[in-house]
Amino acid sequence: MEPTRIGVIGSGQVGRALAAGFAAHDHEVTIGTRAPAENDDLQSWAAQHAGVAIGTFAAAAEAGEIVVLATRGTAVEEAIRTAGADRFAGKLVIDATNPLAPDPATGGPSLAVGHTDSGGEIVQRAIPDARVVKAFNTVNAGLMVDPGLPDGPHPMFIAGDDEGAKATVADILSDFGWKAFDVGGIERARELESFVVLWVAIGQRRGAWDHAFTLVTPSGVATG
Amino acid sequence: MEPTRIGVIGSGQVGRALAAGFAAHDHEVTIGTRAPAENDDLQSWAAQHAGVAIGTFAAAAEAGEIVVLATRGTAVEEAIRTAGADRFAGKLVIDATNPLAPDPATGGPSLAVGHTDSGGEIVQRAIPDARVVKAFNTVNAGLMVDPGLPDGPHPMFIAGDDEGAKATVADILSDFGWKAFDVGGIERARELESFVVLWVAIGQRRGAWDHAFTLVTPSGVATG
C-alpha cells in the first residue's frame, strides 16, 4: 500500500508491534498513550523506531488516515471516548483488540462479550461513521508483521461491513506477509474473538505463544 | 486403539463418516437411526460397509462401549432422551455435534448457544454420568478419518472434563490420522463450536468445504 499516516491507540505489546510494522513499511506513525510525557518506557522504545511519533490518544486518532485500536479489549470504549469519537469519522479503523476477561470459575481465559455481540460490533457502534475492520486479533504480537511462517502466506481472518475498507486491510496484510481471508460482516468478530480463548488455552498447554490458526486442505494451505 | 464396540447416534453425513471410519479401523459399529426399518437409504449404505450394523438410537447407545453423538446439534438432547439417557452412564461419549441455527438477520450461520454455554456442556449435563469429549466438530465429514492433509498429522482440538476419556479419544484420533490437541474442560466446547460458524462462512467464500483449522508456528505445524 502507498505510504500513509497511521494512528495507533494503545502502546502495549500489540500497539508497539503494529506501530513498528507500519513504520518499517514506510508509513508515518503516531502511537497514542494516555500520558505521553510520563511514559518513559515508550519514549525509549520510540527512540529506537524511526518513523514513530508519540502522542495522546486524541493526537493518534487525529493524525491517522487509518487508526488502529490496540488497547486492552475491555478498555477500548473508554479509549475511544478519550480520543474523541468524532476523530474516527470516515476513517478506516482496524480493531486488533480482544474483550478478554478472566473467568473466575476456571481461572482461564474468557470473553466479556460473545455469541450475540462482540468487541468488534461494540467498537463499530461506538464510532458508527468509521469503517471498522477486525484484524490482527487472532495472532501473537510477534507474528503480526512479517511472521516468517513456513508455507506462507497464511490466512489472516478479517471481518467488517465495508468492502473498500477490507480491501485496504488486505493490501496492508499482503505487505505484512499475510493473505487476508474475509469471513464476513463485523458480526463475525464474535468468532474471531472466540479464537483468542482457544489461542490462550493452547498457549498454556504448549508453554509457547508463537502459534497462529491457519487453514489446511488436502492441496495445502487455504488462503481463498 | 484395541477394537471395541462403537455406537453412533445419527446417520447423516457425519454419522456415516465416523461409523465407516471406526469400522475400517476394525471396530464393531452400530449406527442408530430413528426408524431403522424405514431407512432404505441407510440400509443400502450399510450393505456397502462391512462391520456396521443398523439399529435404533437405543440399540446404538446400548451396543457401544464408546458412543458417538452425530445428530444435528439442536436435536441432540431429544436424541439422548430417545436413546435413553441411562444407557450412556459410565461410557465415553464423543460429541461431534454443533448447535448450528441459521441467523434470520444475516441468513448466515450462527449458533443456538454460545459464550457462556455450549452444546458440549448441554450434552454433559444431559448425561452427567457419561464422560463427554467434544471432538470431530471442527472439520468436514470427509476429513474426519484418514484426512490425507499435507504436513500432518494436524491437530484435532478436543475438550472434556475426564482426562482418561480424552486419552482414549487421543488414541482414536491417532489411528484416524490426527493428533489430539486438548484445549481444556468441556466448557471449551464454546469456542470449538464457534469455529464452525467461521468454517461455514469460509466455505461459502471458498465454494469448497475441504478446509480444516490447524496451527502453524515458525517451525511448522503445532501439534502439542
Side-chain angles (χ1 to χ4, degrees), chain A residues 21 24-25 142-149 174-178:
Chain A
H25 286 273
L143 292 180
M144 288 179 178
V145 183
D146 306 319
L149 295 169
S174 175
D175 292 343
F176 284 11
W178 293 92

Side-chain angles (χ1 to χ4, degrees), chain A residues 111 115 182 195 205 212 214 216, chain B residues 111 115 182 195 205 212 214 216:
Chain A
L111 296 172
H115 187 218
D182 175 7
F195 261 128
R205 304 254 161 182
T214 184
V216 64
Chain B
L111 295 172
H115 187 216
D182 174 6
F195 260 128
R205 304 255 160 180
T214 183
V216 64

Side-chain angles (χ1 to χ4, degrees), chain A residues 103 106 108-116 143 147-151 154 157 163 166 181-185 187-188 190-192 194-195 197-199 201-203 205-206 210-222 224, chain B residues 103 106 108-116 143 147-151 154 157 163 166 181-185 187-188 190-192 194-195 197-199 201-203 205-206 210-222 224:
Chain A
D103 180 348
T106 67
S110 73
L111 296 172
V113 62
H115 187 218
T116 56
L143 292 180
L149 295 169
D151 303 316
H154 286 271
F157 304 105
E163 299 301 322
K166 287 193 282 195
F181 201 119
D182 175 7
V183 296
E187 71 278 5
R188 289 283 75 76
R190 299 168 192 177
E191 290 80 33
L192 296 183
S194 175
F195 261 128
V197 176
L198 284 184
W199 186 85
I202 288 167
R205 304 254 161 182
R206 291 185 67 223
D210 60 351
H211 51 287
F213 292 104
T214 184
L215 282 177
V216 64
T217 75
S219 48
V221 173
Chain B
D103 180 349
T106 66
S110 72
L111 295 172
V113 61
H115 187 216
T116 56
L143 293 181
L149 296 169
D151 304 317
H154 286 270
F157 304 105
E163 298 301 323
K166 288 193 283 195
F181 201 120
D182 174 6
V183 297
E187 72 278 4
R188 289 283 76 75
R190 300 169 193 178
E191 291 80 33
L192 295 183
S194 175
F195 260 128
V197 176
L198 284 184
W199 185 86
I202 288 166
R205 304 255 160 180
R206 292 184 67 220
D210 60 351
H211 50 286
F213 292 103
T214 183
L215 282 177
V216 64
T217 75
S219 48
V221 172

Side-chain angles (χ1 to χ4, degrees), chain B residues 14-216:
Chain B
V14 170
R16 292 182 191 196
L18 289 172
F22 277 105
H25 286 273
D26 300 326
H27 301 286
E28 190 182 317
V29 180
T30 303
I31 187 166
T33 184
R34 283 168 206 282
E38 296 161 27
N39 196 333
D40 294 341
D41 182 66
L42 186 64
Q43 288 176 26
S44 307
W45 177 88
Q48 298 161 47
H49 290 86
V52 182
I54 299 177
T56 59
F57 283 176
E62 184 70 28
E65 282 296 314
I66 298 173
V67 183
V68 180
L69 298 172
T71 63
R72 281 184 298 111
T74 48
V76 70
E77 286 179 282
E78 192 262 324
I80 288 170
R81 280 194 298 272
T82 302
D86 289 352
R87 290 198 169 86
F88 297 86
K91 293 184 177 178
L92 166 53
V93 174
I94 298 175
D95 176 18
T97 68
N98 284 299
L100 275 170
D103 180 349
T106 66
S110 72
L111 295 172
V113 61
H115 187 216
T116 56
D117 199 6
S118 63
E121 289 161 279
I122 289 170
V123 164
Q124 181 65 83
R125 290 197 298 269
I127 44 177
D129 297 328
R131 297 168 295 135
V132 176
V133 178
K134 194 91 198 177
F136 293 110
N137 76 302
T138 60
V139 301
N140 192 351
L143 293 181
M144 288 178 177
V145 184
D146 306 319
L149 296 169
D151 304 317
H154 286 270
M156 170 79 79
F157 304 105
I158 69 172
D161 289 339
D162 188 286
E163 298 301 323
K166 288 193 283 195
T168 301
V169 172
D171 283 347
I172 292 166
L173 287 168
S174 175
D175 292 344
F176 283 11
W178 294 93
K179 179 81 160 63
F181 201 120
D182 174 6
V183 297
I186 192 63
E187 72 278 4
R188 289 283 76 75
R190 300 169 193 178
E191 291 80 33
L192 295 183
E193 294 166 8
S194 175
F195 260 128
V196 177
V197 176
L198 284 184
W199 185 86
V200 172
I202 288 166
Q204 288 169 340
R205 304 255 160 180
R206 292 184 67 220
W209 302 91
D210 60 351
H211 50 286
F213 292 103
T214 183
L215 282 177
V216 64

